[in-house]
Amino acid sequence: MHLYGYYRSSAAYRVRIALNLKGLDYDMTSVHLRDGNQFDPDYVKLNPQAQVPTLVLDDGTPLVQSPAILEYLEEVHPEPALLPADTMGRYRVRALAAVPGCDIHPIGNLRVLKHIQQTYGQDMAAAGQWAKHWIELGYTGLERMLADSSETGRFCHGDTPTLADIFLMPQMYNAIRFGVDMGQFPNIQRINDANMELDAVQKAYPDNQPDFEPA
Amino acid sequence: MHLYGYYRSSAAYRVRIALNLKGLDYDMTSVHLRDGNQFDPDYVKLNPQAQVPTLVLDDGTPLVQSPAILEYLEEVHPEPALLPADTMGRYRVRALAAVPGCDIHPIGNLRVLKHIQQTYGQDMAAAGQWAKHWIELGYTGLERMLADSSETGRFCHGDTPTLADIFLMPQMYNAIRFGVDMGQFPNIQRINDANMELDAVQKAYPDNQPDFEPA
């Protein structure tokens, strides 16, 4: 398989973690989002939304949209499982994953921060405050969901990583970047620390990617 | 089952369509989002994020996050199917669903539009332009995805409604509200029209809800 991504893209980072956890081999091509390389017409043929990631299967089929890619990988490569065996567990993992996936990351990603700066005459610091606001709001709910359930374990759900952790970790990278005080969110912090011990996460971590650029 | 929702919430509208398509009975309680009733402490016990929808099962278990609720309903009430029988079809439907689910709706919903007005001193017309921008950008990619595939039928995938249609229809309500020129998106418009013919969609349509308030 071949993954088109970008070191700092949350959605690409999710797919890297999943591929690593499942022990699947893949090559990578970096699509430089800040330089606008996602708009290259050849790339748009692979990814009609001009976004990353795109996971190209060995038969050449390009897959887009990280939530759909992750469910696909889980169906085709079920071991190790990233969704629980029981229906209520699968519901809970998908609900936890949707907090960063739908309620935090989309509102604070690069294209949105750029649009705020251009449209409302804000600087990057103000755009960072915008991102921080949505992370803290989403984490407030997520922390409650984790604190209130006996199914929360060493990871978001039980003692092995699931899709919920895969969505959380890229959000954590941004939470740190935008200065979120994690003292407010002890369960999220604890689960982040457990995930950071995994080789699959370390190998997927933005700063460890070949296209990483120091700030 | 009991659904806590709001007539104009896209996420609640998704769940209403799915329940209707599957012929499941449910009662409804309206949570008035513009009046802030989602922050009522009793409601937050059901929904730790203070959002809608919440679907309370007959045993009292509250389910949150519409993407997770929809996958749950599909697992527990598999007929009529809202996901295709084949892996690649399920991938495609989930990818199409993620365009409004992750790349459009989260950036333009009520709480975000309110925050833009408060933080950047914009009026509702400017906030509407913001919403329209993200709908048009997302629809540009979605239109390509629909136009370029032989699997697009009367609906987003084939000739019966799937999760992709369920995510599309609430986005269409907002596209019309914010004045998107649908002439740019003939496949999306055609699929919207097919969905609007379904009783399940009509019954779920915001203007047909008991808590509907004319503008």
Side-chain angles (χ1 to χ4, degrees):
Chain A
M1 287 183 281
H2 193 97
L3 181 65
Y4 290 81
Y6 183 57
Y7 77 97
R8 210 164 79 177
S9 155
S10 292
Y13 182 7
R14 292 172 195 157
V15 175
R16 291 196 301 269
I17 300 173
L19 290 167
N20 294 348
L21 283 170
K22 291 185 176 289
L24 298 167
D25 281 330
Y26 59 102
D27 301 317
M28 290 193 291
T29 295
S30 177
V31 180
H32 201 295
L33 296 188
R34 280 181 295 174
D35 286 354
N37 292 357
Q38 68 274 32
F39 302 113
D40 183 305
D42 282 338
Y43 183 69
V44 175
K45 281 180 202 161
L46 291 177
N47 189 311
Q49 288 188 270
Q51 296 183 168
V52 292
T54 305
L55 182 67
V56 181
L57 302 182
D58 290 339
D59 71 0
T61 306
L63 306 188
V64 301
Q65 282 291 351
S66 63
I69 293 172
L70 295 171
E71 292 274 356
Y72 168 87
L73 290 174
E74 183 69 2
E75 290 191 11
V76 176
H77 306 280
E79 298 297 333
L82 302 176
L83 283 170
D86 61 306
T87 296
M88 287 310 296
R90 283 193 295 279
Y91 151 72
R92 181 169 181 263
V93 165
R94 287 177 174 132
L96 292 170
V99 179
C102 298
D103 288 339
I104 308 178
H105 167 252
I107 318 174
N109 67 12
L110 177 64
R111 62 183 194 150
V112 174
L113 300 187
K114 268 182 142 171
H115 194 67
I116 285 171
Q117 293 172 72
Q118 289 162 359
T119 309
Y120 303 130
Q122 304 293 313
D123 60 14
M124 185 55 209
Q129 284 301 310
W130 164 279
K132 188 181 175 199
H133 169 81
W134 298 109
I135 298 170
E136 291 185 335
L137 186 60
Y139 273 16
T140 300
L142 185 62
E143 177 70 21
R144 285 187 197 128
M145 291 164 79
L146 292 168
D148 291 351
S149 171
S150 61
E151 301 197 276
T152 304
R154 177 167 162 75
F155 293 92
C156 286
H157 189 87
D159 294 324
T160 57
T162 62
L163 292 187
D165 300 280
I166 288 173
F167 276 79
L168 177 60
M169 293 309 290
Q171 198 58 64
M172 279 305 303
Y173 188 80
N174 287 324
I176 293 163
R177 188 169 152 233
F178 292 117
V180 170
D181 170 11
M182 287 302 300
Q184 309 166 79
F185 310 115
N187 279 281
I188 298 176
Q189 180 66 56
R190 177 181 62 72
I191 290 166
N192 170 72
D193 296 346
N195 275 282
M196 285 295 281
E197 290 178 21
L198 301 174
D199 287 344
V201 170
Q202 282 297 324
K203 194 180 152 199
Y205 194 72
D207 297 11
N208 297 335
Q209 300 311 300
D211 58 343
F212 170 69
E213 295 172 33
Chain B
M1 288 183 280
H2 194 98
L3 181 65
Y4 289 82
Y6 183 57
Y7 77 98
R8 211 164 78 177
S9 155
S10 292
Y13 182 8
R14 292 172 196 156
V15 175
R16 291 196 301 268
I17 300 174
L19 290 167
N20 295 347
L21 283 170
K22 290 185 177 289
L24 298 167
D25 281 330
Y26 58 102
D27 301 317
M28 290 193 291
T29 295
S30 177
V31 180
H32 200 295
L33 297 188
R34 280 181 295 172
D35 286 354
N37 292 357
Q38 68 273 32
F39 302 114
D40 184 306
D42 282 339
Y43 182 69
V44 175
K45 280 180 204 162
L46 291 177
N47 190 311
Q49 290 188 270
Q51 296 183 167
V52 292
T54 305
L55 182 67
V56 181
L57 302 182
D58 290 339
D59 71 0
T61 306
L63 305 187
V64 300
Q65 282 291 350
S66 63
I69 293 172
L70 295 171
E71 293 274 356
Y72 168 87
L73 289 174
E74 183 69 1
E75 289 191 12
V76 176
H77 306 281
E79 299 296 333
L82 301 176
L83 283 170
D86 60 307
T87 295
M88 288 309 297
R90 283 193 296 278
Y91 151 73
R92 181 169 182 264
V93 165
R94 288 178 173 132
L96 292 169
V99 179
C102 298
D103 288 338
I104 308 177
H105 167 253
I107 317 174
N109 68 11
L110 177 64
R111 61 184 194 151
V112 175
L113 300 187
K114 268 181 141 172
H115 194 67
I116 285 171
Q117 293 172 72
Q118 289 162 358
T119 309
Y120 304 130
Q122 304 293 313
D123 60 14
M124 186 55 210
Q129 284 301 310
W130 164 278
K132 188 181 175 199
H133 168 81
W134 297 110
I135 298 171
E136 291 185 335
L137 187 61
Y139 274 16
T140 300
L142 184 62
E143 177 69 22
R144 283 186 198 128
M145 291 164 79
L146 292 168
D148 291 352
S149 171
S150 61
E151 301 196 276
T152 304
R154 177 166 162 76
F155 293 92
C156 286
H157 189 87
D159 294 325
T160 56
T162 62
L163 292 187
D165 300 280
I166 287 173
F167 276 79
L168 177 61
M169 293 309 290
Q171 198 59 64
M172 279 305 304
Y173 187 80
N174 287 324
I176 293 163
R177 188 170 152 230
F178 292 118
V180 171
D181 171 12
M182 288 301 300
Q184 308 166 81
F185 311 115
N187 279 281
I188 298 175
Q189 180 66 56
R190 176 181 62 72
I191 290 166
N192 170 74
D193 296 346
N195 274 283
M196 285 295 281
E197 290 178 22
L198 300 174
D199 286 345
V201 170
Q202 282 297 324
K203 194 181 152 199
Y205 194 71
D207 298 9
N208 298 335
Q209 300 312 300
D211 57 342
F212 169 68
E213 295 172 32

